[in-house]
Amino acid sequence: MITCYLRYVVDPFKLKEFEAYGKMWIPLVEKLGGKHHGYFMPHEGANNIALALFSFPSLAAYETYRLKAGRDPECQAAMRYYEETRCFISYERSFMRPVFE
C-alpha cells in the first residue's frame, strides 16, 4: 500500500472554496479505486497550509487512477472549479508506505 500525502499552500481568504474542492475529490478518489483519509484544513497555527491523504494498493494502482481521473467528467469538473476559484497556490505531493503494526 502507498499513501499519497498532499501539502497545499491555500489562499487563506478562500478556505471555503478549498474545502468545497476537497469535498469534490474525496468521493472521486474512492470511485476510482483509492481510499481517501480526508482533507485537513488550517485551524490553529499557519492559516495557509492544508493537507490531504489517500491510499492505493500500489503505485501502479495510483498511476491507473491518474489516467482514469484525466478522462473522468467529474474529475474534470473538479479541476475546472479549481481553475475558476484558484483556492490554492501550490501543492507538494509525496508517497509514503504506512506502517500499522
Side-chain angles (χ1 to χ4, degrees):
M1 174 186 286
I2 58 106
T3 297
C4 183
Y5 165 90
L6 286 164
R7 180 183 182 272
Y8 291 92
V9 176
V10 298
D11 182 334
F13 297 103
K14 296 183 179 179
L15 292 178
K16 288 181 185 177
E17 291 86 350
F18 182 79
E19 187 169 340
Y21 172 80
K23 287 180 177 180
M24 288 179 201
W25 277 105
I26 292 170
L28 296 174
V29 167
E30 300 271 340
K31 175 177 102 170
L32 298 177
K35 171 65 180 154
H36 211 294
H37 307 293
Y39 278 78
F40 300 86
M41 301 294 294
H43 183 67
E44 288 293 323
N47 70 347
N48 68 335
I49 302 299
L51 304 174
L53 297 167
F54 52 90
S55 297
F56 282 87
S58 65
L59 192 55
Y62 172 78
E63 292 299 331
T64 298
Y65 151 79
R66 294 277 310 243
L67 290 171
K68 289 179 181 178
R71 297 186 302 257
D72 184 89
E74 291 177 292
C75 294
Q76 292 170 356
M79 289 307 298
R80 280 193 304 275
Y81 178 82
Y82 160 70
E83 291 167 359
E84 292 166 4
T85 64
R86 298 291 185 192
C87 55
F88 64 90
I89 298 159
S90 64
Y91 68 91
E92 299 170 6
R93 179 175 32 225
S94 298
F95 295 93
M96 301 186 176
R97 179 181 50 85
V99 176
F100 296 115
E101 293 183 43

